[in-house]
């Protein structure tokens, strides 16, 4: 929710920092189930895109699309649309 708040208030640097921290925590403990992984990836990629880090954003969007099904996931569908805008 904090990442969404930063996104909606155009605080991109804070959005990226929080999402990178969450991603790092997940990577340290990959055996833990993580319900919000897709959402964190989407917010991180959107933050990267908004800050001009398009290559990093595209890499995340591509990974999300390859790993998921747009038909079954609203988040993956959003990633497809966001990727198309870059």
């Amino acid at each position: 929710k904090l990442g969404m708040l930063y996104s909606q208030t155009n605080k991109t640097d804070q959005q990226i920092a929080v999402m990178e921290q969450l991603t790092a925590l997940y990577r340290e403990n990959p055996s833990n189930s993580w319900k919000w992984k897709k959402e964190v990836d989407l917010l991180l990629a959107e933050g990267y895109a908004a800050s001009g880090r398009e290559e990093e954003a595209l890499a995340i969007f591509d990974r999300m699309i390859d790993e998921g099904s747009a038909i079954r996931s609203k988040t993956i569908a959003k990633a497809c649309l966001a990727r198309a805008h870059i």
Side-chain angles (χ1 to χ4, degrees), residues 31-46:
S31 61
N32 293 344
S33 71
W34 194 24
K35 182 178 178 180
W36 305 108
K37 183 180 186 319
K38 291 178 196 173
E39 288 77 6
V40 169
D41 284 346
L42 180 63
L43 284 168
L44 180 58
E46 288 175 341

Side-chain angles (χ1 to χ4, degrees), residues 2-20 43-53:
L2 187 56
M4 290 278 270
L5 176 64
Y6 286 142
S7 174
Q8 293 172 353
T9 57
N10 295 317
K11 295 184 178 181
T12 308
D13 291 339
Q14 291 94 331
Q15 174 186 347
I16 291 170
V18 169
M19 296 303 103
E20 286 177 339
L43 284 168
L44 180 58
E46 288 175 341
Y48 284 159
S51 67
R53 297 165 65 178

Side-chain angles (χ1 to χ4, degrees), residues 70-83:
I71 296 170
R72 297 184 185 157
S73 171
K74 182 178 177 180
T75 305
I76 300 300
K78 285 182 179 181
C80 290
L81 288 172
R83 198 227 182 277

